Structures are given as structure tokens and as C-alpha cells.
Amino acid sequence: MNHLKLKKLVLIFVMTMLVLVGCNKEEGAANDESNGITVITTFYPVFEFTSQVVGENGTVSSLLSAGQDSHSYEPTPKDLAAIAEADVFIYSSEYMETWVPDVLSTLEDSDVLVIEAAEDIPFYENVEEAHNHEHEEEHEHNHAVDPHVWLDPVFAQEMVSKIATELSSLDNENAGSYEINANEYKQKLQQLNDDYETAFSSAEHRIFVVQHAAFGYLARRYQLEELAVSSLTSGQEVSPSKMAEIGTFIKENEVKAIYYQDSANSKIAETLASETDVDLEVLSALEGITESDQEQGIDYLYVMKENLEALKKTIR
């Protein structure tokens, strides 16, 4: 779906929903107040952080389910209507949810509070080297902003604070509750940060090999180095020379494991692990957790602790 078509669809549905909401606002006012605020989030990390802050003061839902790609996602008419009806719409950043700016451009005159949870976080560019096929001796560099800030427990705290502050500005009556909820959750995130710092503070082997570059912020936080087989933006097959180069590195540096994302195809990691005779492990980028897993208590903190245990096999 091209941007122009998307904008037209959004505009039609937003205008329709605003009319419907306006007609029913007085009739449903008491019911809305008793149920608290209605918040629409984009994908799992934003949903989890927001849910922790909102608590019993409203309802929080996520547009994307586990397994959906947040980068290439296209909102459905039902999604657009939900955003138009909500009190609040929260996303991480335009670097992750690249489709959000087109939606926001049609909501400028609406009453929906839009929160960019990672707005105040310093993003960094991942420099990716690419071969120029016409001149094999030359190289060019692609600069892609890494959007995975939520994998850093310290930045996660900043996102929680941003959400709490913005919600309090809209719903001042429950501002105290948002602050308490946010502080309690940030304490848990700080403990997670402490656990990572303790685990890696005296490590001698600080490089870990991943199939896909998604853990740069986590690596930087704890003075680790992420060696990625494929880059942030590349959807192409990894060249044999790149595979051989990383295979040699793994053997020479006694790397104990190769990691792949739970939401991605593991073929490349499996091949490398087989060729180098090392373990194959999962690192989750936490882009989606199924509802059934959430019901069993699997959440952001749980998965980040699982990531920590997996990394200990290499970082030692």
C-alpha cells in the first residue's frame, strides 16, 4: 500500500470515527470515565511498559500480535478506527514503526494524545559495509538507525518515565497512580540492569555472535561487542566470504555459541553453528510475545533474564 493511499484511507476512517464519537460522547461520558482511559499501543515492548504504568486506570491494547513485523506492518481500517477512538496512541519511534508518521499526519486535528515513548533516547547509526558490485575493490557504507532501544534496561526505564509523564498530563486525576506504578516497575528494570552489570563486569570474553543485528544497545550498555552475521537492513543472503570470515573468528576466539532471534529464521545461525561446532542459542528481541505466553507469566522481565542466561554462555 503506497503512502498516498494509506493517508486517504486513514483520513476517511478518522473523519468517520470522529463524527461517530462526537455524536455519542455525551451519552457515553459516564461509562468512559468509569472505565478509565483507552490506550492503543503498537507492539509488545510498548504495550508492556504502558500496561505497567496504566495499571487499573484504563485499558491497553496492542495493534500488532506476536510474529508480525513492526517495520513493514500496515494498519487495517479497523486499526485506524481504534486509534481514532482511543484517548492515547503510543509507539516507540519512527525508526521502528516506520508506518506511524503517515498515520499521525491525519490525526493532527484529533483529540488523541500521541506519545513517542523513545523520543528522548539518543539513537545511534549502525554503519554497514556493502560491496559495490561494479567495482569490487571499492566499498560503500550504509547508515541505518538501530531502533531496538527497549533492549537496554536503562533506556527501558526512560521509556516508562516518558509514558507516565505524558499520561499524567492527560489524566491528572490519576497522575499519582501513574507515578507510583512507573516507579515500581522502574525498580524492577533497575534490578535487571544490576543483574546484567554484575554478570559481565569482570568478563574477559566480551564478544557475542548473532545472526541479525538487534542487540547493539544492550551491548553498548555493558561494554560488550555484538558481531552480526547480517545487518539491520540487509534481507539478502550472507555471502560465502562473510560466512567464512565469521567462522574463522569463532574458532580463533573460542566463541561458545551463536545466537538467533526467536522471531527469525535460524538457517544462517544453524549453518554456522554446524560448521564451527558451537552451540546454537536464542536471544529474543522481544518484538512479540503471544497472549498464551503472557498468561503463563512470560513477559519483558522474564525474557530479558532468559537472554542474560543465554549470553553468559559466551560472555565469561
Side-chain angles (χ1 to χ4, degrees), residues 7 9 18 43 107 110 152 166 190 246 254-255 285 288 315:
K7 288 183 178 182
L9 270 175
L18 288 177
F43 72 124
L107 298 176
S110 76
D152 176 338
E166 295 293 334
Q190 183 56 45
I246 293 180
E254 299 180 353
V255 173
I315 310 301

Side-chain angles (χ1 to χ4, degrees), residues 65-90:
S65 58
Q68 285 186 281
D69 184 356
S70 182
H71 301 283
S72 60
Y73 169 79
E74 293 182 354
T76 66
K78 183 179 179 181
D79 294 335
L80 302 176
I83 295 171
E85 287 183 315
D87 297 307
V88 187
F89 174 59
I90 307 180

Side-chain angles (χ1 to χ4, degrees), residues 8-240:
K8 287 181 178 179
L9 270 175
V10 175
L11 184 59
I12 291 170
F13 273 90
V14 168
M15 292 178 64
T16 303
M17 294 314 304
L18 288 177
V19 171
L20 292 174
V21 171
C23 292
N24 292 289
K25 200 133 190 169
E26 292 186 10
E27 181 180 340
N31 185 54
D32 290 342
E33 185 175 347
S34 64
N35 292 332
I37 60 172
T38 301
V39 186
I40 303 294
T41 63
T42 48
F43 72 124
Y44 177 74
V46 183
F47 168 79
E48 172 67 3
F49 298 162
T50 303
S51 296
Q52 292 293 333
V53 173
V54 171
E56 302 297 321
N57 299 306
T59 58
V60 182
S61 60
S62 176
L63 290 176
L64 280 77
S65 58
Q68 285 186 281
D69 184 356
S70 182
H71 301 283
S72 60
Y73 169 79
E74 293 182 354
T76 66
K78 183 179 179 181
D79 294 335
L80 302 176
I83 295 171
E85 287 183 315
D87 297 307
V88 187
F89 174 59
I90 307 180
Y91 67 107
S92 178
S93 72
E94 64 182 47
Y95 302 116
M96 185 63 187
E97 302 97 316
T98 55
W99 49 272
V100 164
D102 287 327
V103 174
L104 298 187
S105 67
T106 68
L107 298 176
E108 294 176 355
D109 297 325
S110 76
D111 294 329
V112 179
L113 172 65
V114 177
I115 302 174
E116 182 182 357
E119 181 178 14
D120 302 323
I121 293 175
F123 287 85
Y124 78 89
E125 284 188 337
N126 184 19
V127 180
E128 306 162 351
E129 186 176 74
H131 290 278
N132 186 315
H133 295 295
E134 293 182 2
H135 305 282
E136 291 295 336
E137 296 180 357
E138 296 182 8
H139 296 81
E140 54 186 18
H141 292 85
N142 299 320
H143 295 263
V145 175
D146 186 343
H148 303 89
V149 291
W150 62 89
L151 293 172
D152 176 338
V154 176
F155 284 159
Q157 292 178 61
E158 293 188 24
M159 294 174 73
V160 170
S161 293
K162 176 72 173 181
I163 292 167
T165 298
E166 295 293 334
L167 289 179
S168 296
S169 69
L170 173 72
D171 183 16
N172 187 257
E173 182 178 343
N174 291 307
S177 178
Y178 297 140
E179 182 179 4
I180 291 171
N181 292 342
N183 287 337
E184 288 180 352
Y185 191 59
K186 285 194 294 181
Q187 287 177 9
K188 296 177 181 179
L189 292 171
Q190 183 56 45
Q191 182 58 58
L192 179 67
N193 175 60
D194 293 344
D195 292 343
Y196 269 81
E197 286 189 337
T198 300
F200 302 140
S201 60
S202 59
E204 295 182 3
H205 296 268
R206 309 188 73 85
I207 299 177
F208 62 100
V209 179
V210 296
Q211 177 171 301
H212 173 66
F215 304 92
Y217 291 97
L218 185 147
R220 287 180 172 216
R221 178 62 61 188
Y222 306 110
Q223 293 79 55
L224 309 177
E225 183 179 345
E226 174 194 55
L227 177 60
V229 181
S230 62
S231 64
L232 282 168
T233 58
S234 176
Q236 300 177 348
E237 289 291 327
V238 179
S239 69

